Structures are given as C-alpha cells and as structure tokens.
Amino acid sequence: MADDRRPSEEEIEELIGLTRRDPGSPAFVDLGDAYLALGRPRDAVEVGLAGLSAAPDNLEGRVMIARAHAQLHQWKEAQAELLKVVKVDRAHKLGFSLLGEVLLRRSDYERAIPVLQHAQNLDPSSPAVLALLKRARAGQPLDPPAPIPSPISAKRGGGFGAPGEGAPTKVEPRAAELARKAMPSAPALPRSKGPTRPPPAAPKAPPVYDDGPTSVAPPRAAAALSIGDSTGQATVVRGDPTEVSPPRSFYDDDEATAGRGAKPRLPLEPSGDSRPVASGSPAPAGGVRPRVIPAAKPVNAAAASLRQSAAVGEQYLNDLLTGGLLDVPGVRVPDMDYDINPGKRWGRSSKRAFIFLFALLVLGTGAGVTWYYWSEQKKAEELALHRKTSNDSIGTASAEGLEKSMTELGKALELDPSSTLTFAEVAQTASLQHLLYAPALPDVAAITKAINAAAQDITKPEQEGYRELVIARAALALSNLGQDANPAETLVRTRKDLETWLGNGHDGDRWARWLLARVDLAQGQRSKALSGFRAAAGAKGEAERLIPAMVDEADLLVDDGSITDGLALYDEALAIAKDHPLALMGKALAQTDSSAAASKAISDLSVPLEKETGARLAAYRHLWLALANYTLEYYVPAKEELDRASSAGITEPRFLARLALAHAIAGDLAGAAKARAAVTWFPPKPDVKPETDPEVALADASLLLASGLPARALDVAKGDTLRAQLLRGQALIDLGKPKDALADLDAAAKAAAGTVEVEILDQEAHALAGTGKDRDAALAALDGLARKKTRLGRHAQGVALLAAGNAKDAKERLEQALADITDEQPNPVSYRTHTALAQLALAADPPDLEYAAKHLDAAATANPGYLPALALNAKLYLRAGKPDEALDNLSRVMNEKDAITTDSLLVLAEALATRTHTDPQTKKDTTEQDKADAKAALQQAKDAGAPPAEVGRIAALIDPGLPAEMGVPAPPPTPGSGAPPPPGHGPKRRGH
C-alpha cells in the first residue's frame, strides 16, 4: 500500500493547540507545512502571518508563506516574502532558489540571473537550480505552474495505527517538540471524586507505573487497539515518552463531569461490551455511536525500571558516605605498613618529573611562539591581499571598482583597525568616489576624518601611504569646490601639493597628473587642462591607460566641436572597461550634440546608465534624457527630467552650461539665466582671465538672443556643433540676413535630418530669403511642420507671412501659435509671438492699442528682458500720449548699443520733444537739453536710413525750422493747433 504522507487529525489538533498557547512558537511553521500538504495554502498563509506577528524573525515561517503564495500563483507576494529572507540570511539556499524561480515566473530574467547564480554558488550540486539558471540566461519561461490545489482531508487516527494500515508511523514535528520542551510541565489532572464503577478483577495484570505527564501516548506500533481481558477491563500500558500528549478531554475529572451527572470512565473503558474498540472505528450498527477515546495514560516500563535502578544506586552511595567504607558488607581493606621515608627511588622519580615538565614548558613556549608567528604572517598575507585587490579595483575608476575597493579595505580594517596605511587608502578611494560619482556615503566629513587619522603618523613623502593622502586631499578638494568658503585658495594649495609630489621623482603618477589637470580646468585654464588630460590618459596602445583622464579629454574635445575625435576616445575607453559609466555618459551627450538618432541612443545607453552610481552621474543622465526627449518631441518627460537635473545641485561648469542650454531650448529663460549665473571659475590670480568655454559661450549666446541682442550672440556662438549652427542662424534671421543664415541652417538640417526644431528654423530662413516659388515651397513646408506638437512651426510660419506682407494670414498663424499651449504642446518662443502680434496691431490703420498692450504685457511676463518688446512698448506709450512712460521703457534699450534700432531712435526723439520739460527731482526746466538730445537722436536715425518723411515730422515737433535745417521734408499743415488729445483709456504701465 502506498505510503500516505498526509498529516493526521491528531497532529493538526496538537499543532493548533501549541500555536494558540504560544503564537510565536515554531510550531506555526509545521502547522503551515501541514496545511500545504493538505492543499490548503490560504490557511497556511493565515497561520504564517499570525505567527510572524509574534515572531517576525522566523525566516522558515516566511519561506513557508512564500511557498503558500506560490501554490496560489501569487508570485508578487511570494517575491516580497523571499526578499525579506535573503536580505537577512545571505546563505539561505532555499530562499535564493525559490526567489529565482518566482522571478522567472514573473519573467524578470535580468534579476533572476544573479539570484540563481548566488543560489548555485550556495548549492553547486543542485540540478534544479542549474536548470532554472539555464532558462534565465536563455530568457525562456518556465513550464506552466501546477493548478491551485484543492483541499483534502487529514488522516484519521494518526499515530494509533500501524504503518500500512491507514496510519503511518508518527514522527513528531520538530517545532512541536521544541515548543513543548519550552513550556512548563503541566500539573497532574485531578481525578473524579464521584461514584466510579469498580474495575473487573485482573489477577495477573502487570503493575502500573506513572512516569509523569510526558509519557501519555501508547506505543506507535505496539498496540493499535486497547488490550482487554475476559472481564472487559482494559489493561493500561505506558508508551514511548517522546509521543505527543493527547488533549485534556481524554481524561475525566471533577471539572469535566461536575454538574452534568456524567459517570467517570477510564479512557478506553468498554461501552456495553468487552470487545476492544479501535480509535476511529465506526459506530456499532443499530445503536448510538459510542464515544471513542484513543488511550489512557499508559505505563512506560523501561522508564520505571531505570528509576528503580537509580534508586538502588543512590542507596548504595548513601551507605558509602554515612556508614563508612569498612561497614559495608563484602568490602575489606588489607592491612599493610607504609614507609614514608624518602629514598633513592623517589629521587629518580622526581627528577624525571621535573625534566618532563621543563621539556613540556619549552615545547609549549616554542609552539606558542610558532603559532603567534604563523598567525601574524597569515594576517599580514591577508592584509596584503586585500590591499592588492583594492588597488587593482581602483584601476578603471568604475563605480563597481571603487565600491569593491572600499569593501576590501573594510575587510583589511577588520583585520588591523589601527593601520594608518589602510586609513590612507580608504581616504583615497572615498575621495575619488566622491569626485567622480558623488555618492551619499561616505560624506565629506567622514573622508576628512579618515585623512586626518592617517596624517597623524604619515608625515613624510618616503612613508607608505603619503602618496594616497596626496591623492585623497586633491580629489576631496576638487569635489567640494561648490561648498568651499575659499575655493581659489584651496585650488592654489592643491596645485602646490600635486606639483611637489610630481616633481619629487613621481612624474609618472597618472592619477596625480590627472588631478592637476582638473585643477587647471577649475581655474579656467582650458588648454593647459587638455594637455594634462592627454598626458595622464596616455597614447593609444600604451599599458595602464587612465580612463578618467581619457573621458575628461574626450569631454573637452566634444565641447570644442571635435565630436568625431571625442567619440573615438570614448570607444577606446569602453574597449578597456566595458560599460564604464563615465565613458557611456560622455558618449551619450556627444551623440546629443551631433544630433544622432535620439531614439537609438536612448535604447542603447539608457539601460547601462540606469545603475545607481551616485548623484553626479544621475544628474548628467537626467540632463541627457531631457535633451534626447526634447529632440523626440516627448516634451512632458523632457520637462520632468530637466527638473530633476536642475535639483541635483551639481556645480561643474560643463554641467551648468548644458543645463542652461536645455532650459533655453525649452523656453525656460529664467532657469537658463540661473544655471548660467552659477558657472564659476577660480583663477589663480585676479589678473588671470579664464579661457572661453565653448559650451558656456553657447549658453551666453542663447540668452543674448532671448534679450534681443543678435549681433552679440553672433560673435559669441562659435564652433561647428549643431547648437552653435542653430544659434548663429537665428541671430542672422533677427538681424535681417536670412540668406546668410542658410549656410549654417542647411548644414544643421543635413546633419540632424528629422529633427523638428532644426527643420522649422531652416524653412523659416528659406521663406524669408526666397521669392516666388521658393518662398511658396518653404511656406508649404512650414505648414506641414506646424502640425507637429510644438507651436514653433506656427510661429515661424506667421513671421514669414508677416515679412512677405500678408498681415492677415500672419496674424491668424501667430494667434494659432499661442492657442492651447501646454507642456505637451509648448511654444518656447511665445514672447516673440506676442511681440509680433503687438507689432501688427500698432502698424494697423488705425492702430489697435488695447490689443497691442495685451500682447506686450504677455511678452513681458514670458520674458521681461526682451528688448524689442520694450522698444515696442515705448512706442505704444508714445501713441497713447505718455512720453514719460515711453522714455522709461526706452532707458534699458538705449543702454544696450546693439539693441538700438532706427525705430527706437525715432521714438526717443519724439518722446523727448513732447515730454514735460521739467526735471521731477530738481524741478528745473529741461527744454533746451531735451531738444538737443532729441535732435541728436533724430540725426542718428536719419543717418541710419530712417524714412525722411518720419524724420521731418518729428523734427517739426522739436523746432519748426529743423526739417529745413536737416534737409528733410516738413510735414503738411494740420487743421487746428496743439497736440492731439490722448485716448480715453491708455495702456497700463508695464515694468521695465
């Protein structure tokens, strides 16, 4: 008959009783396993959660709950429990193997591989783990899981039947045994005092020995049934003391029978006949089913015999102690004389003893010295191995390598906590980590503490650890410049330390040379820094090239516009160290600058760059994703990534310059100005001027264009990068030179085919520069691009139509460019759109001053520093008869030489001619001064090519004879006299 592995009802009841008495008992794990064997996983989860609430550190309970969730196909819940197990016990074989299987069930192959690899390391001989690992590496799903089990019933009479007869040999659960042993022994139950039935005579019944409350169950196979004699009296037999005690209901006592009139009975007393009744037997036919109670408290004969033997032995010892040795019968001590005088035999014996003890002392001392020497040698070898592994891990300066170096140095400190050399190495690794990756821990204070601890003993260059302290101090100083109270002085001191070390016979120290080049870069000496990076990185083919120096050299090449050379250098670094995060990030930004396929760049590089490597690289990753998503027209994710990059707190000029550019591209001019203002260099001397940084120059150019200073932006935007070409093209368009802009914009459109922003600006230049069919083709292309998410296409179309003289269609397209602006459909140049609509309103006949005022207010809100809008606002005030307000708006325009236009000069001259000629502070008459200033402004406008009729009209306002003096036609006479009255409702005063 097949072996039935189901737990019995008695086992279930006993485990339930244990868990009720002590919820934190380990018995809840066995009860859950029993439920799992019966196909009741939900009951197992309920029992496990109750047990964990009392014993949260029970890992076996969590594994049991995870198995129950797995039977219910609740993979996520099972994963949560198993994660708690493996986090606490890194050597839990079953936990790791089950976690790997659950991850495979969830198709999470990437995380399942390392988990199963660790499980295989813990149990290399397990074929199941090996099979799971092969499937994970191949990305193959597991076979469908078994269906959710259906509950089955427990065995009846477990522990009272012979194996093979429906009741397998009972083995008590380990947790139940431990729980029972931990509980105090229960007192003997009181017997009933009521009337009892005298038992039938049993002349030859064996004596009954009560060995305590631990031996209460019958033997497993000795008596499946109670043994009775011809009189019907059951013979009580004690069993194995390791068996589980039956419930209290098996005994009749006063408390159980009081008040009910029940007649107390022996546990297996016959009910009406003398036949033995088996536990779990069916009720007799034709009558009421009798109460079947498994067994009475049987006798353990072996335990009783042992007690009797112990009692006999105890009496014998008492006789020896109290009666005296000679008083014990059968024991006799022979009489003999003892000679206690020392003799020759005693001398020889003592001499040998002393010789033996001396030899033993010598051997022990030698063994102790040998053990001490061996242990110290072993300790020194382990220290040397940890340090060597740490030094090798630093080599590539990857995030994983530096973390491994810190781990090895931590083990070295455990072996020798007082080693100053190890402290110096810890300070070096932690400082490099902080400089390159900016992890949360260790912080600057902890690194400084390690440096100071090592510097107490390491003070001379020839000492071990001095070089590590030089590297540590320099790296920490460079990483903390943004929080340094006196960064210029810190850089001077760091330069001196590095130059002293390199000049003292250590010229080949690549790390020190790289850090010195970083000092040059922080001081604004860009060319010198590039040479230093190149020397520290080494040439192609050299051994032990320094990857951080290679990446910094490539960064400078990309910023200078040599993107091809920079990408080649990144690839060389990645060939040495695959997926090096610094090289990957540099390559990603370089591809953004060259406008390579953004979607391919994201798919290729986003996964390797997802690893948590510290705040610095995380900030660069957010910046790169913002630029790439903007190129792909994913404007909402781009904005979110840009916000994360802005809040990272990185103070490197290269990062801040690119951050400012990203904000300008998105139309956030305030954010661009803030990032640009944070860019700082710390020259060694006040008279040393930092060299021009191309990326910072591009950020300046974008802000100059946003201020309405295209001529200055054109002078600043140098280089052949995509962003430089776009900025120069926009500057030339603003200067009224669209034909000149085509060279840069056509090249940009060819290099970045499919990029919406580039194509829109290129077609706008073609529409402004072309005529006839060329202009129509460009306008048609703009109409197609205007259907994209960005409103930039509608703006460009409106500007081109305005330049072509189609004011009606231009107004319609410009208004469409401002309709329904959201984060998903942005207009990064909305201030330009508002200014163009205000210009149309002022040029109308008659001018629509209210419409113009509304759009100029909106332009000032979007970009308060746009000078063309301020000049147009001054013209609006002048039309409204408010020359003083017009002069206020013109003040900022006239302070910028490049912002002064012919139109602004005419407005200035007219405002000076018509204002109230009284100084508001001194109350002096300023008529003559105002006329002189107005005449000078008018002459400058005439020389710049202003219309003669407009010059003559304003000249007549200054002096009726001035038109003739300037050689321009005088205005025709107008009916009436005096200036026309101002409109009833002039525009509100706007800020300047």
Side-chain angles (χ1 to χ4, degrees):
M1 185 174 179
D3 189 9
D4 190 355
R5 298 293 183 183
R6 292 178 298 159
S8 65
E9 293 178 347
E10 285 75 14
E11 290 175 338
I12 296 292
E13 290 298 327
E14 182 178 4
L15 291 173
I16 291 174
L18 288 173
T19 55
R20 285 176 179 172
R21 289 192 294 272
D22 183 10
S25 166
F28 83 87
V29 181
D30 294 319
L31 179 57
D33 290 335
Y35 281 148
L36 291 179
L38 295 177
R40 297 165 60 183
R42 291 182 174 85
D43 293 338
V45 171
E46 182 179 355
V47 168
L49 294 177
L52 288 180
S53 64
D57 297 332
N58 193 316
L59 299 184
E60 300 306 321
R62 294 195 183 277
V63 173
M64 183 270 294
I65 294 176
R67 291 172 50 215
H69 283 306
Q71 287 191 11
L72 293 170
H73 299 178
Q74 296 173 349
W75 312 116
K76 183 177 180 181
E77 291 77 2
Q79 177 181 339
E81 294 297 334
L82 291 171
L83 282 175
K84 297 175 183 177
V85 174
V86 300
K87 285 181 179 179
V88 174
D89 186 0
R90 303 293 293 177
H92 203 290
K93 299 179 183 179
L94 182 58
F96 276 98
S97 60
L98 288 178
L99 178 59
E101 182 178 355
V102 168
L103 290 172
L104 284 181
R105 291 293 183 195
R106 300 190 71 190
S107 300
D108 194 349
Y109 305 108
E110 182 179 358
R111 292 180 174 85
I113 292 174
V115 171
L116 291 171
Q117 183 65 61
H118 187 67
Q120 188 190 30
N121 294 339
L122 295 175
D123 190 6
S125 62
S126 173
V129 174
L130 182 60
L132 292 174
L133 183 59
K134 288 182 178 180
R135 282 182 176 264
R137 287 174 174 167
Q140 298 177 354
L142 295 178
D143 296 335
I148 296 176
S150 300
I152 60 177
S153 61
K155 291 184 305 190
R156 298 182 60 85
F160 295 90
E165 297 179 4
T169 301
K170 179 177 175 63
V171 179
E172 182 180 5
R174 172 183 57 81
E177 178 185 0
L178 295 177
R180 190 181 64 251
K181 290 181 179 180
M183 294 164 49
S185 299
L189 297 172
R191 294 296 179 184
S192 173
K193 298 179 181 179
T196 60
R197 184 175 61 185
K204 295 184 180 180
V208 177
Y209 298 101
D210 187 358
D211 59 346
T214 60
S215 55
V216 296
R220 286 190 291 260
L225 300 175
S226 301
I227 303 173
D229 55 16
S230 60
T231 64
Q233 170 63 45
T235 303
V236 181
V237 182
R238 288 297 181 189
D240 188 352
T242 64
E243 287 293 340
V244 180
S245 302
R248 292 175 61 93
S249 62
F250 281 15
Y251 302 100
D252 289 331
D253 52 30
D254 293 340
E255 296 174 3
T257 60
R260 297 183 301 178
K263 180 172 70 73
R265 304 165 45 202
L266 292 176
L268 292 181
E269 183 179 358
S271 298
D273 60 16
S274 61
R275 291 178 301 170
V277 181
S279 173
S281 301
V288 179
R289 178 174 178 172
R291 180 185 180 194
V292 180
I293 304 177
K297 192 175 183 181
V299 177
N300 186 343
S305 299
L306 287 175
R307 288 181 178 176
Q308 187 176 17
S309 299
V312 173
E314 184 179 359
Q315 182 63 34
Y316 178 72
L317 291 175
N318 288 338
D319 289 342
L320 290 178
L321 294 172
T322 60
L325 179 62
L326 298 178
D327 294 336
V328 180
V331 178
R332 186 178 64 86
V333 179
D335 297 332
M336 62 183 298
D337 296 330
Y338 294 96
D339 185 5
I340 61 175
N341 294 325
K344 190 174 181 179
R345 182 179 299 277
W346 169 250
R348 288 198 301 270
S349 177
S350 62
K351 183 178 180 179
R352 285 196 299 271
F354 281 117
I355 291 174
F356 172 75
L357 291 175
F358 180 76
L360 187 63
L361 177 63
V362 172
L363 291 175
T365 304
V369 172
T370 303
W371 176 85
Y372 177 78
Y373 177 77
W374 178 84
S375 64
E376 288 298 313
Q377 285 290 106
K378 194 71 175 176
K379 178 179 175 181
E381 290 176 2
E382 290 184 14
L383 279 172
L385 179 60
H386 286 310
R387 287 187 182 131
K388 183 179 184 303
T389 306
S390 169
N391 188 59
D392 294 342
S393 302
I394 291 177
T396 61
S398 66
E400 293 83 357
L402 291 173
E403 189 63 33
K404 183 179 180 182
S405 173
M406 290 293 290
T407 302
E408 293 295 328
L409 292 175
K411 295 177 181 178
L413 280 177
E414 290 178 0
L415 292 173
D416 187 3
S418 62
S419 173
T420 54
L421 175 58
T422 307
F423 271 111
E425 292 173 340
V426 168
Q428 173 188 242
T429 301
S431 298
L432 291 173
Q433 227 180 1
H434 206 267
L435 174 62
L436 294 173
Y437 300 103
L441 293 174
D443 57 11
V444 175
I447 301 172
T448 304
K449 186 176 180 180
I451 293 174
N452 294 336
Q456 291 179 359
D457 295 331
I458 304 174
T459 58
K460 298 179 181 179
E462 59 271 14
Q463 289 181 273
E464 276 191 305
Y466 187 86
R467 180 254 179 199
E468 283 75 12
L469 288 180
V470 171
I471 300 298
R473 290 192 184 100
L476 185 61
L478 287 168
S479 66
N480 199 40
L481 286 177
Q483 290 75 37
D484 198 322
N486 195 347
E489 182 179 340
T490 299
L491 287 175
V492 171
R493 183 174 63 252
T494 303
R495 172 184 290 280
K496 182 179 179 182
D497 292 344
L498 291 170
E499 288 177 343
T500 301
W501 173 257
L502 290 169
N504 195 19
H506 305 96
D507 189 63
D509 192 330
R510 293 183 184 271
W511 286 96
R513 190 160 294 283
W514 167 66
L515 290 171
L516 184 59
R518 280 242 170 181
V519 173
D520 291 329
L521 189 61
Q523 291 180 333
Q525 309 303 307
R526 189 179 181 84
S527 301
K528 191 175 180 181
L530 181 59
S531 301
F533 290 143
R534 188 170 287 126
K540 188 174 183 179
E542 289 187 15
E544 299 181 358
R545 300 187 71 184
L546 188 60
I547 290 185
M550 297 173 66
V551 172
D552 284 343
E553 180 187 355
D555 288 346
L556 292 185
L557 290 174
V558 169
D559 292 348
D560 289 338
S562 302
I563 297 178
T564 302
D565 295 339
L567 288 173
L569 199 52
Y570 291 130
D571 289 337
E572 290 180 26
L574 291 172
I576 299 172
K578 184 182 178 182
D579 290 343
H580 195 288
L582 297 176
L584 284 175
M585 182 52 64
K587 184 176 181 179
L589 286 173
Q591 289 179 339
T592 304
D593 288 347
S594 62
S595 215
S599 59
K600 185 177 185 303
I602 290 179
S603 62
D604 291 345
L605 299 175
S606 60
V607 173
L609 288 173
E610 277 183 355
K611 297 179 181 178
E612 182 61 39
T613 53
R616 178 174 179 265
L617 229 57
Y620 271 101
R621 182 176 182 274
H622 292 315
L623 177 60
W624 165 63
L625 286 176
L627 293 169
N629 282 320
Y630 193 86
T631 301
L632 294 173
E633 294 187 85
Y634 300 150
Y635 298 116
V636 173
K639 184 178 183 300
E640 293 172 352
E641 295 291 345
L642 188 58
D643 291 340
R644 295 189 184 102
S646 301
S647 60
I650 304 300
T651 58
E652 297 176 18
R654 186 171 194 260
F655 175 83
L656 292 173
R658 291 174 177 272
L659 184 64
L661 273 174
H663 278 293
I665 292 171
D668 181 12
L669 300 176
K674 181 180 178 181
R676 172 59 185 92
V679 176
T680 309
W681 290 279
F682 310 99
K685 296 179 181 179
D687 57 341
V688 177
K689 185 179 180 182
E691 297 179 19
T692 301
D693 187 315
E695 286 297 314
V696 177
L698 293 180
D700 289 338
S702 65
L703 291 174
L704 288 171
L705 278 176
S707 297
L709 300 171
R712 289 175 57 184
L714 189 62
D715 293 337
V716 172
K718 304 295 183 183
D720 295 329
T721 62
L722 176 69
R723 187 53 50 188
Q725 291 172 336
L726 292 178
L727 290 172
R728 287 199 299 268
Q730 183 65 67
L732 289 169
I733 289 176
D734 290 349
L735 290 171
K737 301 176 180 179
K739 290 184 179 180
D740 297 339
L742 290 177
D744 282 311
L745 294 178
D746 285 345
K750 182 178 180 181
T755 304
V756 174
E757 177 193 8
V758 178
E759 291 185 354
I760 287 174
L761 198 58
D762 184 45
Q763 292 300 329
E764 180 183 356
H766 277 282
L768 293 173
T771 56
K773 294 182 179 180
D774 293 337
R775 176 185 292 173
D776 295 339
L779 289 173
L782 282 175
D783 190 61
L785 293 170
R787 293 179 173 82
K788 298 290 184 178
K789 294 181 180 179
T790 178
R791 295 289 187 260
L792 190 61
R794 286 298 179 198
H795 168 82
Q797 190 180 20
V799 171
L801 289 171
L802 181 60
N806 189 349
K808 180 181 178 182
D809 291 342
K811 182 180 179 182
E812 180 181 355
R813 299 296 184 271
L814 291 171
E815 287 178 342
Q816 290 174 356
L818 296 174
D820 301 327
I821 295 178
T822 62
D823 290 340
E824 184 65 27
Q825 297 178 333
N827 183 354
V829 292
S830 61
Y831 63 95
R832 289 175 175 264
T833 310
H834 285 296
T835 304
L837 285 172
Q839 182 180 354
L840 277 172
L842 288 176
D845 188 17
D848 189 345
L849 300 184
E850 291 295 334
Y851 185 86
K854 180 184 72 172
H855 283 287
L856 287 175
D857 283 340
T861 302
N863 182 6
Y866 190 47
L867 297 178
L870 291 176
L872 204 60
N873 205 25
K875 188 174 184 179
L876 173 65
Y877 275 119
L878 191 61
R879 293 288 181 90
K882 298 180 179 180
D884 291 328
E885 285 81 354
L887 290 174
D888 287 343
N889 278 268
L890 275 178
S891 60
R892 286 186 58 187
V893 178
M894 304 309 295
N895 287 335
E896 293 288 347
K897 180 180 178 181
D898 294 329
I900 300 175
T901 62
T902 303
D903 201 28
S904 61
L905 289 171
L906 293 175
V907 172
L908 176 62
E910 186 173 356
L912 288 171
T914 58
R915 66 173 292 190
T916 302
H917 304 294
T918 302
D919 191 289
Q921 295 180 352
T922 62
K923 306 300 181 180
K924 293 183 179 180
D925 185 21
T926 59
T927 303
E928 296 301 324
Q929 183 64 44
D930 289 341
K931 286 184 177 182
D933 294 340
K935 183 177 179 180
L938 196 60
Q939 184 64 47
Q940 188 176 354
K942 176 178 177 295
D943 296 340
E950 187 68 12
V951 174
R953 183 185 67 82
I954 297 173
L957 294 176
I958 300 171
D959 188 346
L962 188 57
E965 181 180 342
M966 296 183 66
V968 293
T974 57
S977 61
H985 298 283
K988 297 181 180 179
R989 180 186 177 97
R990 279 162 292 279
H992 26 103

